[in-house]
Amino acid sequence: MGLLEALKSKVLTADGAMGTLLYSYGLDNCHEEMNIIRPDVIEKIHGEYIAAGADVIQTNTYGANAIKLARYGLESKVVEINEAAIALAKKAANGGQFVIGSIGGIRGVRKSDTTLEEILTAIREQATVLIDGQIDGLLLETYYDFKELSETIKMLRSITNMPIIAQVSMHDPGVLQNGLKLNVALQQLEKIGADIVGVNCRLGPHHTIQAFEGVELPERAFLSAYPNASLLAIEEGKVIYESEADYFARAAVQLRNQGVRLIGGCCGTTPKHIEAAKKLLVNLNPIITKEAKPFQEIVIQEAEPRNAEPLHEKVKRERSVIVELDTPRHLEINTFVEGAKALYNEGADIIMMADNSLASPRVSNIAMGSILKLQHDIRVMPHITCRDRNLIGLQSHLMGLNAVGLHDVLAVTGDPTKVGDFPGATSVYDVSSMELISLIKQLNEGISFSGKVLRKKANFSVAAAFNPNVRVLDRAVSRLEKKIEHGADYFISQPVYSKEKIEEIYEATKHLDTPIYIGIMPLTSFRSAEFLHHEVPGIKLSDEVLERMKACEGDKVLEAKEGVAIARELLDTAVSRFNGIYLITPFLRYDLTIQLMQYIKQLDEQNKGVKVNA
């Protein structure tokens, strides 16, 4: 009798966590490598679950694909590790239990630098070994990215008729990371070929049961659930799961009452949990009818109307100037506030503030932005970096910005901490700048990073960074196109220091409908010019500019004057090609920026009626 045939008339008990037990044994490196270097331990764990009453056990192959094994330099051992895992599970089962091959999801909230095509190639390689091992089914588990899971099922269905168990993971009960309701998601997985659909990991028994209350019985497939033992906790630096076996067992019965027919455990579960669950499940028949609890729809309120036109709309029509003024490195803020007021009164559309540029701490841009907006009615744009905040901090930060009405943001990766004042500090980088753009746009739909409804839509206009100071500009433009796909509304370039480069940018980007603001930053000295050219990522000066600044070296007044003159010459070209101009203020020298703003006005007066690229 096959696995699917057995599920027609029985509730089957699956095994629990493998990694939890290996971790408890002090084996915290590559768990899948244990199949070949400590096979005795793996066989022992399988045997303990079988002794506990498990009807179904899974191979120790959750991360046994080339992408995950590459972290340990084991990508060449995919076949060896998977074949060893199959042999160990079959030997332990001895023909009496079903053996299913575990295949873990790769993407989390972050899509990672690995493409979907590369993921499918790696999973196909692993799955081929598992299928050739003549096991009883494939278990796709811990999938947060619904597209990854869907495409994986389609790929597997093209190479095998073996039973497929497809399990999603949720951050919040009843809803996936992309906002899709669990009931709908499981129905879709059934339609594309999954034979058993369900959930595993992340949530404990309570929330897993809660999620299944809104799930209808599938037309053809069966339901599965592998909850964690509980929500995780940290004790003396170690991850623990506080859950008693009898509690888990009672939860297993409640899952059966929700129509689940394959019940196992994920993180934190042990043979004791499985033994307790089996004792209560063994005499229970499957549920064949069920009335699912209606999903309580939460009305998402529309975002409040913006007080000002989004810059990406204005710049398509007319001149628009963004001015950057970095917040202070110290606690004296009066000069910064006065500079921001002067620049805004001179006609800047918005005052931009970096987010601890060059990984050096400054006064919080959300704090200074709030002061400028609420006390001085100045429109501001903070940078949001991926470096300093994890996903929790990023979402909280953005929700705060929206709450105080700061709806203009620039999403950037952020300079690594090793270049800053605290090289011992860590860089977070939970997401890339592209992924951050997508997540911000998800907030605009009223959906949190985890898929949870936020009750109201945010109203962000999202700018993205553009570094044209590269050898091959076409590659930089390709990145722009990818950022557009992720939702970027417009681009802001690194400072440019040659007319030829501005012309090159125009020719390379004129096919794009997404506006670009060209960066211009006046130099203040030859010393700062050399620093920018040689040490600051993304900035390169022309030989001519360096020579002109060197000729003024030692005379501070003359150096600043020459820096403004160079910037004006660059503006002659920039304003003729682009509506968007981005002026970067060096060292709070906002007097220099004001001179350039006045020059832009002069040029616009001279060039009235001349059409430029947005």
Side-chain angles (χ1 to χ4, degrees):
M1 180 186 295
L3 176 61
L4 299 181
E5 188 66 25
L7 285 170
K8 289 180 180 180
S9 59
K10 297 179 181 179
V11 176
L12 298 183
T13 304
D15 55 3
M18 174 68 73
T20 296
L21 296 183
L22 291 174
Y23 186 68
S24 70
Y25 296 161
L27 304 174
D28 57 354
N29 292 320
C30 178
H31 290 167
E32 291 74 21
E33 189 184 17
M34 297 300 112
N35 296 330
I36 54 178
I37 64 174
R38 292 298 306 274
D40 56 316
V41 175
I42 302 303
E43 187 177 350
K44 178 177 181 291
I45 293 173
H46 285 320
E48 289 176 352
Y49 278 121
I50 290 171
D55 303 302
V56 181
I57 64 171
Q58 59 184 287
T59 56
N60 181 38
T61 53
Y62 173 82
N65 60 74
I67 293 172
K68 288 191 173 181
L69 290 177
R71 302 171 187 172
Y72 307 96
L74 298 171
E75 61 271 29
S76 63
K77 295 191 175 184
V78 171
V79 174
E80 181 183 359
I81 287 173
N82 281 276
E83 286 183 343
I86 296 168
L88 290 169
K90 282 189 169 184
K91 182 179 179 182
N94 195 27
Q97 288 76 33
F98 296 108
V99 174
I100 55 177
S102 172
I103 298 175
I106 292 176
R107 290 176 168 177
V109 173
R110 180 170 189 176
K111 302 302 182 190
S112 82
D113 296 327
T114 309
T115 66
L116 185 56
E117 290 71 22
E118 291 168 334
I119 290 173
L120 294 176
T121 297
I123 298 304
R124 187 184 188 111
E125 178 189 20
Q126 179 191 6
T128 299
V129 182
L130 294 172
I131 293 166
D132 290 346
Q134 297 182 344
I135 53 178
D136 299 296
L138 297 173
L139 170 62
L140 306 179
E141 56 177 335
T142 320
Y143 276 79
Y144 287 97
D145 187 287
F146 190 72
K147 183 174 183 181
E148 178 191 358
L149 178 56
S150 299
E151 294 303 316
T152 299
I153 293 171
K154 293 175 184 176
M155 180 272 292
L156 293 175
R157 268 292 160 252
S158 71
I159 62 175
T160 183
N161 291 320
M162 181 176 287
I164 294 176
I165 307 165
Q167 295 187 152
V168 299
S169 294
M170 303 169 290
H171 298 285
D172 290 287
V175 63
L176 274 60
Q177 183 173 282
N178 63 354
L180 193 65
K181 297 178 184 64
L182 177 61
N183 187 49
V184 176
L186 298 186
Q187 289 174 351
Q188 291 184 14
L189 295 177
E190 178 187 24
K191 287 180 180 178
I192 60 176
D195 301 291
I196 304 169
V197 294
V199 304
N200 80 291
C201 205
R202 183 63 178 85
L203 302 180
H206 172 80
H207 291 110
T208 302
I209 295 165
Q210 183 182 347
F212 271 103
E213 289 175 351
V215 173
E216 298 171 316
L217 295 179
E219 294 181 7
R220 174 188 57 81
F222 303 109
L223 295 177
S224 66
Y226 286 49
N228 286 351
S230 65
L231 297 177
L232 64 84
I234 304 294
E235 185 176 289
E236 297 181 355
K238 294 184 178 180
V239 175
I240 63 171
Y241 292 85
E242 297 178 349
S243 173
E244 296 180 0
D246 62 339
Y247 170 76
F248 186 86
R250 294 195 304 272
V253 173
Q254 292 184 60
L255 286 169
R256 172 265 182 187
N257 295 341
Q258 293 300 326
V260 181
R261 298 197 186 194
L262 177 62
I263 302 173
C266 203
C267 302
T269 54
T270 67
K272 289 183 179 180
H273 293 83
I274 300 307
E275 182 179 19
K278 178 60 178 288
K279 286 179 179 179
L280 297 186
L281 293 173
V282 66
N283 294 318
L284 296 179
N285 294 321
I287 294 296
I288 59 174
T289 61
K290 174 190 175 183
E291 185 174 343
K293 183 178 179 179
F295 190 89
Q296 186 176 358
E297 294 284 353
I298 299 176
V299 177
I300 301 177
Q301 299 179 39
E302 290 297 322
E304 296 174 357
R306 294 182 59 127
N307 293 326
E309 181 182 25
L311 294 186
H312 61 273
E313 294 179 6
K314 177 180 179 179
V315 74
K316 290 181 178 181
R317 186 181 65 253
E318 61 187 50
R319 175 73 61 219
S320 178
V321 178
I322 293 173
V323 175
E324 179 173 323
L325 187 68
D326 284 346
T327 60
R329 296 176 184 268
H330 44 71
L331 296 177
E332 194 285 300
I333 66 171
N334 291 336
T335 302
F336 171 84
V337 173
E338 291 305 313
K341 289 165 62 177
L343 292 165
Y344 199 64
N345 291 336
E346 189 62 40
D349 286 305
I350 204 164
I351 303 299
M352 175 190 282
M353 297 165 292
D355 191 8
N356 300 323
S357 59
L358 295 180
S360 297
R362 295 175 177 269
V363 177
S364 161
N365 60 12
I366 186 173
M368 292 310 306
S370 299
I371 289 172
L372 294 182
K373 179 183 186 298
L374 300 176
Q375 296 182 16
H376 304 284
D377 197 27
I378 294 174
R379 187 177 179 183
V380 297
M381 176 193 293
H383 292 195
I384 307 293
T385 71
C386 304
R387 177 195 59 230
D388 297 335
R389 303 173 190 87
N390 62 14
L391 281 165
I392 300 169
L394 283 171
Q395 178 169 314
S396 175
H397 192 65
L398 286 158
M399 290 169 72
L401 288 171
N402 190 75
V404 295
L406 305 184
H407 298 130
D408 300 281
V409 295
L410 171 66
V412 292
T413 300
D415 304 305
T417 55
K418 63 184 179 182
V419 308
D421 294 344
F422 297 99
T426 57
S427 297
V428 181
Y429 300 127
D430 272 0
V431 291
S432 67
S433 60
M434 291 190 194
E435 291 159 344
L436 179 56
I437 292 168
S438 295
L439 290 170
I440 295 173
K441 285 306 184 81
Q442 191 167 307
L443 296 182
N444 281 356
E445 296 301 318
I447 305 297
S448 76
F449 292 179
S450 67
K452 190 174 183 178
V453 174
L454 293 175
R455 298 179 182 270
K456 186 177 180 180
K457 294 180 180 180
N459 200 358
F460 289 110
S461 174
V462 187
F466 169 37
N467 178 19
N469 300 309
V470 293
R471 293 181 181 178
V472 183
L473 187 58
D474 286 347
R475 293 179 184 173
V477 174
S478 294
R479 281 189 59 81
L480 296 191
E481 292 169 343
K482 289 181 181 178
K483 290 182 178 182
I484 292 171
E485 292 175 5
H486 281 76
D489 293 308
Y490 58 112
F491 296 103
I492 299 174
S493 87
Q494 290 275 27
V496 180
Y497 284 97
S498 80
K499 296 180 179 180
E500 293 76 17
K501 175 61 71 173
I502 295 172
E503 291 287 356
E504 184 184 4
I505 294 169
Y506 171 75
E507 292 298 330
T509 63
K510 62 184 180 182
H511 66 287
L512 300 177
D513 292 328
T514 306
I516 297 173
Y517 283 75
I518 292 296
I520 305 290
M521 181 168 72
L523 301 167
T524 57
S525 67
F526 174 65
R527 184 176 179 181
S528 66
E530 279 209 309
F531 170 72
L532 290 171
H533 180 70
H534 293 290
E535 298 192 38
V536 177
I539 299 180
K540 290 297 177 185
L541 278 62
S542 66
D543 292 340
E544 178 193 356
V545 167
L546 289 170
E547 290 170 4
R548 288 173 63 176
M549 292 305 297
K550 183 172 177 58
C552 306
E553 186 179 9
D555 187 327
K556 291 184 178 180
V557 174
L558 191 57
E559 283 180 308
K561 185 177 180 180
E562 186 65 18
V564 170
I566 292 169
R568 285 185 174 186
E569 293 169 15
L570 295 170
L571 284 170
D572 287 339
T573 302
V575 300
S576 70
R577 292 302 194 185
F578 296 91
N579 271 344
I581 302 296
Y582 163 49
L583 299 177
I584 304 106
T585 304
F587 312 113
L588 284 178
R589 288 292 304 275
Y590 59 87
D591 57 312
L592 304 182
T593 306
I594 287 175
Q595 292 181 47
L596 298 180
M597 294 174 69
Q598 293 171 344
Y599 187 65
I600 292 172
K601 293 176 183 177
Q602 294 176 21
L603 292 175
D604 285 342
E605 284 295 319
Q606 296 171 12
N607 299 326
K608 274 186 177 178
V610 178
K611 182 176 176 60
V612 299
N613 181 31

Coordinates of all heavy atoms in Angstrom, one line a residue, residues 109-110 327 353-357 359-369 381-401 406 409-417 425-433 435-436 439-440 443 449:
V109 N 12.4 35.7 3.4 CA 11.9 37.0 3.0 C 12.8 37.6 1.9 O 12.4 38.2 1.0 CB 11.8 37.9 4.2 CG1 11.5 39.4 3.8 CG2 10.8 37.5 5.2
R110 N 14.1 37.4 2.1 CA 15.0 37.8 1.1 C 15.1 36.8 0.0 O 15.1 35.6 0.2 CB 16.4 37.9 1.7 CG 17.5 38.4 0.7 CD 18.8 38.8 1.3 NE 19.6 39.4 0.2 CZ 20.8 39.9 0.4 NH1 21.3 39.9 1.7 NH2 21.5 40.4 -0.5
T327 N 22.8 65.0 8.0 CA 22.6 65.4 9.4 C 24.0 65.4 10.1 O 24.9 64.8 9.7 CB 21.7 64.4 10.1 OG1 22.2 63.1 10.1 CG2 20.3 64.4 9.5
M353 N 18.4 63.5 3.3 CA 19.3 63.2 4.4 C 19.8 61.7 4.3 O 19.0 60.8 4.2 CB 18.7 63.4 5.8 CG 18.3 64.9 6.0 SD 17.1 65.0 7.4 CE 15.7 64.2 6.7
A354 N 21.1 61.5 4.3 CA 21.7 60.2 4.2 C 21.4 59.5 5.5 O 21.0 60.0 6.5 CB 23.1 60.3 3.9
D355 N 21.6 58.1 5.5 CA 21.4 57.3 6.6 C 22.7 56.8 7.1 O 23.2 55.7 6.7 CB 20.4 56.1 6.2 CG 19.9 55.3 7.4 OD1 20.2 55.7 8.5 OD2 19.3 54.3 7.2
N356 N 23.4 57.6 7.9 CA 24.7 57.2 8.4 C 25.7 56.9 7.2 O 26.2 55.8 7.1 CB 24.7 56.1 9.4 CG 23.8 56.4 10.6 OD1 23.8 57.5 11.1 ND2 23.1 55.4 11.1
S357 N 25.9 57.9 6.3 CA 26.7 57.6 5.1 C 28.1 57.3 5.6 O 28.6 57.7 6.6 CB 26.7 58.9 4.3 OG 27.2 60.0 5.0
A359 N 29.0 54.6 6.7 CA 28.9 53.8 8.0 C 29.4 54.6 9.2 O 30.0 54.0 10.1 CB 29.7 52.5 7.8
S360 N 29.2 55.9 9.2 CA 29.6 56.7 10.4 C 28.3 57.3 11.0 O 27.4 57.8 10.3 CB 30.5 57.8 10.0 OG 31.7 57.3 9.4
P361 N 28.2 57.1 12.4 CA 26.9 57.6 13.0 C 26.7 59.1 12.9 O 27.6 59.9 13.2 CB 27.1 57.1 14.4 CG 28.5 57.0 14.7 CD 29.1 56.6 13.3
R362 N 25.4 59.4 12.6 CA 25.0 60.8 12.6 C 23.7 60.9 13.3 O 23.1 59.9 13.7 CB 24.8 61.3 11.2 CG 26.1 61.4 10.3 CD 25.8 61.7 8.9 NE 27.0 61.9 8.1 CZ 27.7 63.0 8.0 NH1 27.3 64.1 8.6 NH2 28.8 63.1 7.2
V363 N 23.2 62.1 13.6 CA 21.9 62.2 14.2 C 20.9 61.6 13.2 O 20.9 61.7 12.0 CB 21.5 63.7 14.3 CG1 20.1 63.9 14.9 CG2 22.5 64.4 15.3
S364 N 20.0 60.8 13.8 CA 19.0 60.0 13.1 C 18.3 60.9 12.0 O 17.7 62.0 12.4 CB 18.0 59.5 14.0 OG 16.8 59.1 13.4
N365 N 18.2 60.4 10.8 CA 17.5 61.2 9.8 C 16.0 61.2 9.9 O 15.3 62.2 9.5 CB 17.9 60.7 8.4 CG 17.6 59.3 8.1 OD1 16.9 58.6 8.8 ND2 18.1 58.8 6.9
I366 N 15.5 60.2 10.6 CA 14.0 60.3 10.9 C 13.7 61.3 11.9 O 12.7 62.0 11.9 CB 13.4 58.9 11.3 CG1 11.9 59.0 11.4 CG2 14.0 58.4 12.6 CD1 11.3 57.6 11.6
A367 N 14.6 61.5 12.9 CA 14.4 62.5 13.9 C 14.6 63.9 13.3 O 13.7 64.8 13.6 CB 15.5 62.3 15.1
M368 N 15.6 64.1 12.6 CA 15.8 65.4 12.0 C 14.8 65.7 10.9 O 14.3 66.8 10.8 CB 17.2 65.5 11.3 CG 18.4 65.5 12.3 SD 18.2 66.7 13.7 CE 17.9 68.2 12.8
G369 N 14.3 64.7 10.2 CA 13.3 64.9 9.2 C 12.0 65.3 9.9 O 11.3 66.1 9.4
M381 N 13.4 63.9 2.6 CA 13.6 62.6 2.1 C 14.7 61.9 2.8 O 15.9 62.2 2.5 CB 13.9 62.6 0.5 CG 14.1 61.2 0.0 SD 14.8 61.2 -1.7 CE 13.5 61.9 -2.6
P382 N 14.4 61.0 3.7 CA 15.5 60.2 4.3 C 15.9 59.0 3.4 O 15.1 58.4 2.7 CB 14.8 59.7 5.6 CG 13.4 59.6 5.3 CD 13.1 60.7 4.2
H383 N 17.2 58.7 3.5 CA 17.7 57.4 3.0 C 17.3 56.3 3.9 O 17.2 56.5 5.1 CB 19.2 57.4 2.9 CG 19.8 58.4 1.9 ND1 21.1 58.3 1.5 CD2 19.3 59.4 1.2 CE1 21.4 59.3 0.6 NE2 20.3 60.0 0.5
I384 N 17.1 55.1 3.4 CA 16.8 53.9 4.2 C 17.9 52.9 3.7 O 17.8 52.5 2.6 CB 15.4 53.4 3.9 CG1 14.4 54.4 4.2 CG2 15.2 52.2 4.9 CD1 14.2 54.9 5.6
T385 N 18.8 52.5 4.6 CA 19.8 51.6 4.2 C 19.4 50.2 4.7 O 18.7 50.0 5.7 CB 21.2 51.9 4.8 OG1 21.2 51.7 6.2 CG2 21.6 53.3 4.4
C386 N 20.0 49.2 4.0 CA 19.8 47.8 4.4 C 20.8 47.4 5.4 O 20.8 46.3 6.0 CB 19.9 46.9 3.2 SG 18.8 47.3 1.8
R387 N 21.8 48.2 5.6 CA 23.0 47.8 6.5 C 22.7 47.8 8.0 O 23.1 46.9 8.7 CB 24.1 48.9 6.3 CG 25.3 48.7 7.1 CD 26.2 49.9 7.1 NE 25.5 51.0 7.6 CZ 25.4 52.2 7.0 NH1 26.1 52.4 5.9 NH2 24.8 53.2 7.5
D388 N 21.9 48.8 8.5 CA 21.8 49.0 9.9 C 20.7 48.3 10.6 O 20.7 48.2 11.8 CB 21.8 50.5 10.3 CG 23.0 51.2 9.9 OD1 24.1 50.6 9.8 OD2 22.9 52.4 9.6
R389 N 19.7 47.9 9.9 CA 18.5 47.3 10.5 C 18.1 46.0 9.9 O 18.2 45.8 8.7 CB 17.3 48.3 10.3 CG 17.6 49.7 10.8 CD 16.4 50.7 10.5 NE 16.8 52.0 10.8 CZ 17.5 52.8 9.9 NH1 17.8 52.4 8.7 NH2 17.8 54.1 10.3
N390 N 17.7 45.1 10.8 CA 17.1 43.8 10.2 C 15.7 44.1 9.7 O 15.2 45.2 9.8 CB 17.2 42.7 11.3 CG 16.3 43.0 12.5 OD1 15.5 43.9 12.5 ND2 16.5 42.3 13.6
L391 N 15.0 43.1 9.3 CA 13.7 43.2 8.7 C 12.7 43.9 9.7 O 11.8 44.7 9.3 CB 13.2 41.9 8.2 CG 13.7 41.5 6.8 CD1 13.4 40.0 6.6 CD2 13.2 42.3 5.7
I392 N 12.8 43.5 11.0 CA 12.0 44.0 12.0 C 12.2 45.5 12.1 O 11.2 46.3 12.1 CB 12.2 43.4 13.3 CG1 12.0 41.9 13.3 CG2 11.4 44.0 14.4 CD1 12.5 41.1 14.5
G393 N 13.5 45.9 12.2 CA 13.8 47.3 12.3 C 13.4 48.1 11.1 O 12.9 49.3 11.2
L394 N 13.6 47.6 9.9 CA 13.3 48.3 8.6 C 11.8 48.5 8.6 O 11.3 49.7 8.2 CB 13.7 47.4 7.4 CG 15.2 47.4 7.1 CD1 15.5 46.4 6.0 CD2 15.6 48.8 6.6
Q395 N 11.0 47.5 8.9 CA 9.5 47.7 8.8 C 9.1 48.7 9.8 O 8.3 49.6 9.6 CB 8.7 46.4 9.0 CG 7.2 46.7 8.9 CD 6.4 45.4 8.8 OE1 6.7 44.5 8.0 NE2 5.4 45.3 9.6
S396 N 9.6 48.6 11.0 CA 9.2 49.6 12.1 C 9.6 51.0 11.7 O 8.8 51.9 11.9 CB 9.9 49.2 13.4 OG 9.7 50.1 14.4
H397 N 10.8 51.1 11.2 CA 11.3 52.4 10.7 C 10.4 53.1 9.7 O 10.0 54.2 9.8 CB 12.7 52.3 10.2 CG 13.5 53.5 10.0 ND1 13.8 54.4 11.0 CD2 13.9 54.1 8.8 CE1 14.5 55.4 10.5 NE2 14.6 55.3 9.2
L398 N 10.0 52.2 8.7 CA 9.2 52.7 7.6 C 7.8 53.1 8.1 O 7.2 54.0 7.7 CB 9.1 51.7 6.5 CG 10.4 51.6 5.7 CD1 10.5 50.3 4.9 CD2 10.5 52.8 4.7
M399 N 7.2 52.2 9.0 CA 5.9 52.5 9.5 C 5.9 53.9 10.3 O 5.0 54.6 10.3 CB 5.5 51.4 10.5 CG 5.1 50.1 9.7 SD 4.9 48.7 10.8 CE 3.3 49.1 11.5
G400 N 7.0 54.1 11.0 CA 7.2 55.4 11.7 C 7.3 56.6 10.7 O 6.6 57.6 11.0
L401 N 8.0 56.4 9.7 CA 8.1 57.5 8.7 C 6.7 57.8 8.1 O 6.3 58.9 7.9 CB 9.0 57.0 7.5 CG 10.5 57.0 7.8 CD1 11.3 56.3 6.7 CD2 11.1 58.4 8.1
L406 N 6.3 61.3 6.4 CA 7.5 61.4 5.5 C 7.4 60.3 4.5 O 7.8 59.2 4.7 CB 8.8 61.2 6.4 CG 8.9 62.2 7.6 CD1 10.3 62.0 8.3 CD2 8.8 63.6 7.1
V409 N 11.3 58.5 0.2 CA 12.4 57.7 0.7 C 13.4 57.3 -0.5 O 12.9 57.1 -1.6 CB 12.0 56.5 1.5 CG1 11.3 56.9 2.7 CG2 11.2 55.5 0.6
L410 N 14.6 57.1 -0.1 CA 15.6 56.6 -1.1 C 16.1 55.3 -0.5 O 16.6 55.2 0.7 CB 16.8 57.5 -1.3 CG 18.0 56.9 -2.0 CD1 17.6 56.6 -3.5 CD2 19.2 57.9 -2.0
A411 N 15.9 54.2 -1.2 CA 16.3 52.8 -0.7 C 17.7 52.5 -1.2 O 17.9 52.5 -2.4 CB 15.3 51.8 -1.1
V412 N 18.6 52.3 -0.3 CA 20.0 52.0 -0.7 C 20.5 50.9 0.1 O 20.0 50.6 1.2 CB 20.9 53.3 -0.5 CG1 20.5 54.4 -1.5 CG2 20.9 53.8 0.9
T413 N 21.6 50.2 -0.4 CA 22.2 49.1 0.3 C 22.9 49.6 1.5 O 22.8 49.1 2.6 CB 23.2 48.4 -0.6 OG1 22.5 47.9 -1.8 CG2 23.8 47.2 0.1
G414 N 23.7 50.7 1.4 CA 24.5 51.2 2.6 C 25.9 50.7 2.5 O 26.2 49.5 2.2
D415 N 26.8 51.6 2.8 CA 28.2 51.3 2.8 C 28.5 50.2 4.0 O 27.9 50.4 5.1 CB 29.1 52.5 3.1 CG 28.9 53.6 2.1 OD1 29.0 53.3 0.9 OD2 28.5 54.7 2.4
P416 N 29.4 49.3 3.7 CA 29.6 48.3 4.8 C 30.3 48.9 6.0 O 31.0 49.9 5.9 CB 30.6 47.3 4.1 CG 31.2 48.0 2.9 CD 30.1 49.0 2.5
T417 N 30.1 48.4 7.2 CA 30.5 49.0 8.4 C 32.0 49.1 8.5 O 32.6 50.0 9.2 CB 30.0 48.2 9.6 OG1 30.4 46.8 9.5 CG2 28.5 48.2 9.8
A425 N 31.5 46.9 14.2 CA 30.1 46.8 14.2 C 29.7 45.8 13.0 O 30.4 45.7 12.1 CB 29.4 48.1 14.0
T426 N 28.5 45.3 13.1 CA 28.1 44.3 12.1 C 27.2 45.0 11.1 O 26.5 45.9 11.4 CB 27.3 43.1 12.7 OG1 26.2 43.7 13.5 CG2 28.2 42.3 13.7
S427 N 27.3 44.5 9.9 CA 26.4 44.9 8.8 C 25.2 43.9 8.7 O 25.5 42.7 8.7 CB 27.1 45.0 7.5 OG 28.1 46.0 7.5
V428 N 24.0 44.3 8.6 CA 22.9 43.4 8.7 C 22.6 42.8 7.3 O 22.7 41.6 7.1 CB 21.6 44.1 9.3 CG1 20.4 43.1 9.3 CG2 21.9 44.7 10.7
Y429 N 22.1 43.7 6.4 CA 21.8 43.2 5.0 C 20.9 42.0 5.0 O 21.2 41.0 4.3 CB 23.1 42.9 4.3 CG 24.1 44.1 4.1 CD1 25.4 44.0 4.5 CD2 23.6 45.3 3.6 CE1 26.3 45.0 4.3 CE2 24.5 46.4 3.5 CZ 25.8 46.3 3.9 OH 26.7 47.3 3.7
D430 N 19.8 42.1 5.7 CA 18.8 41.1 5.6 C 18.2 41.0 4.2 O 17.8 40.0 3.7 CB 17.6 41.3 6.6 CG 17.8 40.7 7.9 OD1 18.9 40.1 8.1 OD2 17.0 40.9 8.8
V431 N 18.2 42.2 3.5 CA 17.7 42.3 2.2 C 18.6 43.1 1.3 O 19.4 43.9 1.9 CB 16.2 42.9 2.1 CG1 15.2 41.9 2.7 CG2 16.2 44.2 2.8
S432 N 18.5 43.1 0.0 CA 19.2 44.0 -0.9 C 18.3 45.2 -1.1 O 17.2 45.3 -0.7 CB 19.4 43.3 -2.2 OG 18.2 43.1 -2.9
S433 N 18.9 46.2 -1.7 CA 18.2 47.4 -2.0 C 17.0 47.1 -2.9 O 15.9 47.7 -2.7 CB 19.1 48.5 -2.6 OG 19.6 48.1 -3.8
E435 N 15.2 44.3 -3.1 CA 14.2 43.7 -2.2 C 13.5 44.7 -1.3 O 12.3 44.6 -1.1 CB 14.8 42.5 -1.5 CG 15.3 41.4 -2.3 CD 16.3 40.5 -1.7 OE1 17.0 40.9 -0.7 OE2 16.5 39.4 -2.2
L436 N 14.3 45.6 -0.8 CA 13.7 46.7 0.1 C 12.7 47.5 -0.7 O 11.7 47.8 -0.2 CB 14.9 47.5 0.6 CG 14.4 48.7 1.5 CD1 13.6 48.2 2.7 CD2 15.6 49.5 2.0
L439 N 9.6 45.5 -0.9 CA 8.9 45.5 0.4 C 8.2 46.8 0.8 O 7.1 46.8 1.4 CB 9.9 45.1 1.5 CG 10.4 43.6 1.4 CD1 11.5 43.4 2.4 CD2 9.3 42.7 1.7
I440 N 8.9 47.9 0.4 CA 8.2 49.2 0.6 C 7.0 49.3 -0.2 O 5.9 49.8 0.3 CB 9.2 50.4 0.3 CG1 10.4 50.3 1.3 CG2 8.5 51.7 0.4 CD1 11.5 51.3 0.9
L443 N 4.2 47.6 1.5 CA 3.6 48.4 2.5 C 2.5 49.4 1.9 O 1.5 49.7 2.5 CB 4.6 49.3 3.2 CG 5.7 48.5 4.1 CD1 6.6 49.5 4.8 CD2 5.0 47.6 5.1
F449 N 5.8 43.1 5.7 CA 6.9 42.3 5.1 C 6.5 40.8 5.3 O 7.0 40.0 4.5 CB 8.2 42.6 5.8 CG 8.8 43.9 5.6 CD1 10.0 44.3 6.1 CD2 8.1 44.8 4.8 CE1 10.5 45.5 5.9 CE2 8.7 46.1 4.5 CZ 9.9 46.5 5.1

